Amino acid sequence: MEQRYDPTVIEQKWQKIWEAQRLFKVTEDSKKKKYYLLEMFPYPSGRIHMGHVRNYSIGRCVGSLQENEGV
């Protein structure tokens, strides 16, 4: 395994796969109420601790709940 992550090696491969599978295709349903959830990108600035887990887990749980409820 490489010591440092080199995005140029792997990113192109996965972007092609994601585009082929249309994973980021959005379909709007005008019958559903819009829901906006602002979630920060993970950016631990130092040692990872439980505060990081809490902050990122809450948004993920809310998003999953909304998705499961069809929002």
Side-chain angles (χ1 to χ4, degrees), residues 3 34 44 51 53 58-59 68:
Q3 289 288 69
K34 292 189 180 203
V53 175
I58 292 171
N68 289 336

Side-chain angles (χ1 to χ4, degrees), residues 13 18 20 39 50 58:
K13 170 192 169 184
W18 295 335
E39 180 61 75
M50 287 307 295
I58 292 171

Side-chain angles (χ1 to χ4, degrees), residues 20-70:
Q21 295 178 359
R22 300 177 62 107
L23 290 178
F24 297 103
K25 172 86 170 109
V26 175
T27 55
E28 289 192 45
D29 185 351
S30 60
K31 297 173 196 145
K32 291 184 179 181
K33 182 181 175 184
K34 292 189 180 203
Y35 186 85
Y36 178 77
L37 173 66
L38 177 63
E39 180 61 75
M40 295 172 30
F41 289 111
Y43 182 76
S45 56
R47 298 181 142 249
I48 295 180
H49 54 79
M50 287 307 295
H52 292 107
V53 175
R54 178 190 56 114
N55 288 342
Y56 303 127
S57 298
I58 292 171
R60 182 64 195 125
C61 289
V62 171
S64 294
L65 176 67
Q66 294 296 322
E67 184 177 18
N68 289 336
E69 291 183 349

Side-chain angles (χ1 to χ4, degrees), residues 2-20:
E2 297 293 326
Q3 289 288 69
R4 294 188 62 129
Y5 173 68
D6 181 8
T8 59
V9 174
I10 196 80
E11 289 292 326
Q12 288 182 352
K13 170 192 169 184
W14 285 106
Q15 285 180 9
K16 286 179 185 176
I17 292 171
W18 295 335
E19 287 176 21

